[in-house]
Structures are given as structure tokens and as C-alpha cells.
Amino acid sequence: MKGLSILAATLALSSYALALPKLWDSTLYKKADSTKVGYLGVYWTTANESVYLALSDNSNPTAFKSINSGKPIVSPTLGTKAVRDVSIIEGVGDAAGKYYIIGTDLDIDTTNWSQAVRTGSRGIFVWESTDLVTWTNERLVTVEDETAGMVWAPDAVWDPSKGQYFVHWASQFYAEDDTNHSGNPTTTTILRYAYTNDFKTFSKPETYIDLKTATTIDLAFLPVDDNTFVRFYVNGNSSSPVVEVSKNGLFGDWAAPSGSVEDSSSFEGPYPFWDNAQEGKAYLLCDRVGSDPGLAAWESTDPVSGAFSPVSSTDITFMRHGSVLPVTQEQYDALAAL
């Protein structure tokens, strides 16, 4: 009887678990994926701050070639009418089958860097698509209050512990009574975050990384599993992208691994992605700072070690700070036909 009671209880619990809403898929962060044949690169250009697309295939993941005859897939019509630091995010949960592109609202040609951190846009550009070809529902969502000087380099990662997107960006803040932001800022450039399910409404933003004496910007994550993440960001005290690893979630114990991104001095805008074919292999794209900007690529067969070596066989300097999405054959063909 005791055994039957245990069995009955187990079955009851199993039925209850099956009835619960599934907040995330344990295979969400599967690395090698035989259903994917290539990669969609999303980027902007110095000459035209709009959203552009490029493709590469599994034989050479970092060898991106522009598509759509080199023309933008979408150009912003709101805010400053210029976008940079663009990131593509795949829909999860209720948003499965949908894709989002988000980016920074900044036209540096109409301002300067000193003013841009004081009176810049406090919004994030958002576009949506269900086929990666047609992008609609443009919006500029304000995520910070009036004490913020700007919102730069937004990106997002799915947080399995919350069942929501963890959206992050860089901001600098000023005193409440300094409404013109003409005085000294109350913070350096720090990394902030909020949660969303739909990129329309966001939770109240909070601070994620504040180094106090150094700026932080351009955060991106490489999810390894539901608990392990590798994060990359730019630290004002370092000339190369910072690499850190947590094995207990986005708010876990972050530590610098033994490896580093080789020959990455004067690069920013790091963005990592997994190889579709080779389990455990990853790539990192970074944007060169200075008079000769453009993306370069690195690779690693052990990204948790932090060790990434340069990929010298491809030239993707036509791309600026962007992101990558693995695509199926059907998606690849539709995009290649643009």
C-alpha cells in the first residue's frame, strides 16, 4: 500500500508538472544544430545608419556577404532617424516564430559625443518580423527616466530563471535638479537592465554593472546552458573586450577565466555566437574603434575558457557593431533571394 501511495503521489505530481506552463525549453541553448545551414548577420554602416543584412553558411561562418543588393532592409523613421548597435533576437515562449531587431537611436552627425551622453535618446528602436525578410511595427520605446543622458547598445538574452527577456543597455545619469544635464554626471557610463516579454513594455530598469571609476558598455552574452553564461563587455580601464563566466545564472558569481580575446586591442561591440555544425565551437565579432572601423572575427573551441583567437581569412569590415542569428535552409533561401 505504501508503494502504491508513493506511485500515486508521483503520478499526481507528474500530471501537475505537465499542466504547468513551460517557461523555457531546456534545449534552448543547444549549440550545434543540424537544422541550421547558415547565419544571418545584422549590422549598420558608417555611411548610412540603417539596418543591413548579410549571410554566411556553415562552411565559413564568419565570411558574411551583404544581401538585398547592399541596401538597408529597414531605415528608421522615428527619433533621430538613425540606428546603430543593432541586435537580432529570436522569439521564445509566446513569441515563438517572431523575431526582433533592436538598436541605439543616435545620429552622431547631428551632435557630438560629449553632447550625446548628456541629451541623447532614452529609447530603444524595435522592429518585428515573422520571416526575417519583412520588418514592421517600428517603435521607439523609452526605457529610462529623464535623469539618464542616453541609452546605448541595447541587446537581450532569454533568462530561463524568469521566463523573460533580460534586456540591457548602457546609460549615464545626472542629478534630478540638473534638468539640462549640464553639470557633472552622477555616474559613469553603467550597464542597466529590464525585463520584457514583448519589447513593448519593460520592467523598471535597474543597474547591472557599475564599476564606479570606469565606464562599461557593449554587453553581450553567450548562453552555454540554463545556468552557465559567458559575457563580454567593454571596460574603460581595458583596451580589449572583457570576458567573464558565471555558472549560476545572469546574477551569479562572475569571474574572469584564464583565457582572453587575442589581439583585440582597440575593439568594442563584442557579439558571440555558436557554430551550427561543430559542438562547443563559438565565434566572436568585435568592432574596431578609431579611423578604420569595421568588424573582425575570433573563434574558440572552448569559449568558457575565455580563449578566442583571430580569424584572419575573412574581411567583414563593411559591417559595424551588430549581431548574428542561425538560420534554416528555408530562411537562408528567402534571405538570399532579396
Side-chain angles (χ1 to χ4, degrees):
M1 293 294 292
K2 185 177 180 181
L4 289 174
S5 298
I6 293 173
L7 177 60
T10 301
L11 290 172
L13 285 171
S14 298
S15 299
Y16 175 71
L18 288 171
L20 287 173
K22 194 173 186 181
L23 293 180
W24 68 86
D25 186 343
S26 61
T27 63
L28 177 67
Y29 301 142
K30 182 180 178 183
K31 294 169 277 295
D33 186 347
S34 61
T35 68
K36 303 298 192 296
V37 302
Y39 309 82
L40 172 63
V42 181
Y43 65 101
W44 60 283
T45 70
T46 306
N48 185 350
E49 293 165 317
S50 295
V51 181
Y52 292 79
L53 302 180
L55 282 175
S56 66
D57 60 37
N58 284 358
S59 67
N60 198 346
T62 61
F64 287 99
K65 303 297 182 184
S66 64
I67 58 175
N68 197 37
S69 301
K71 298 179 295 185
I73 195 68
V74 67
S75 295
T77 64
L78 304 174
T80 65
K81 297 181 175 61
V83 65
R84 55 175 60 207
D85 315 322
V86 288
S87 187
I88 186 166
I89 298 109
E90 183 173 6
V92 181
D94 292 341
K98 184 178 288 188
Y99 301 89
Y100 303 92
I101 289 176
I102 63 176
T104 301
D105 175 28
L106 173 62
D107 181 0
I108 198 60
D109 292 334
T110 63
T111 184
N112 57 64
W113 291 112
S114 176
Q115 196 62 27
V117 298
R118 294 178 178 274
T119 58
S121 172
R122 294 179 288 110
I124 293 174
F125 269 123
V126 182
W127 290 269
E128 298 181 9
S129 178
T130 56
D131 61 7
L132 301 177
V133 172
T134 302
W135 293 88
T136 59
N137 296 330
E138 178 189 5
R139 53 189 179 270
L140 185 58
V141 185
T142 300
V143 293
E144 289 285 10
D145 67 23
E146 294 180 356
T147 60
M150 82 296 193
V151 168
W152 283 358
D155 198 0
V157 64
W158 183 256
D159 184 351
S161 70
K162 296 275 287 188
Q164 292 182 298
Y165 297 99
F166 174 92
V167 186
H168 52 84
W169 60 86
S171 289
Q172 182 170 283
F173 291 86
Y174 297 82
E176 288 187 12
D177 60 357
D178 182 10
T179 55
N180 293 324
H181 297 180
S182 56
N184 292 327
T186 58
T187 69
T188 60
T189 301
I190 61 177
L191 289 168
R192 302 270 285 172
Y193 76 94
Y195 281 96
T196 187
N197 288 317
D198 55 13
F199 293 90
K200 295 178 181 177
T201 58
F202 293 78
S203 65
K204 182 179 179 180
E206 298 184 57
T207 297
Y208 186 57
I209 299 178
D210 181 356
L211 298 182
K212 305 298 184 183
T213 59
T215 59
T216 47
I217 195 170
D218 294 348
L219 175 66
F221 291 92
L222 182 68
V224 179
D225 56 40
D226 285 348
N227 297 305
T228 305
F229 295 83
V230 185
R231 73 182 182 189
F232 304 80
Y233 62 90
V234 176
N235 171 346
N237 285 338
S238 174
S239 61
S240 298
V242 174
V243 186
E244 295 174 341
V245 177
S246 167
K247 295 186 177 180
N248 52 345
L250 293 172
F251 294 90
D253 302 308
W254 292 93
S258 58
S260 62
V261 183
E262 296 177 14
D263 301 330
S264 60
S265 179
S266 299
F267 280 89
E268 62 182 14
Y271 188 89
F273 63 100
W274 289 109
D275 189 285
N276 289 334
Q278 183 175 335
E279 186 73 20
K281 186 173 185 178
Y283 303 92
L284 181 68
L285 304 182
C286 296
D287 197 356
R288 185 188 298 275
V289 180
S291 59
D292 188 24
L295 291 187
W298 286 256
E299 62 184 359
S300 175
T301 55
D302 184 13
V304 175
S305 75
F308 283 78
S309 56
V311 177
S312 58
S313 59
T314 56
D315 181 2
I316 50 174
T317 53
F318 66 94
M319 304 168 72
R320 298 297 310 276
H321 186 180
S323 55
V324 176
L325 178 78
V327 293
T328 64
Q329 186 70 63
E330 181 180 4
Q331 292 169 329
Y332 187 98
D333 292 344
L335 288 161
L338 285 171

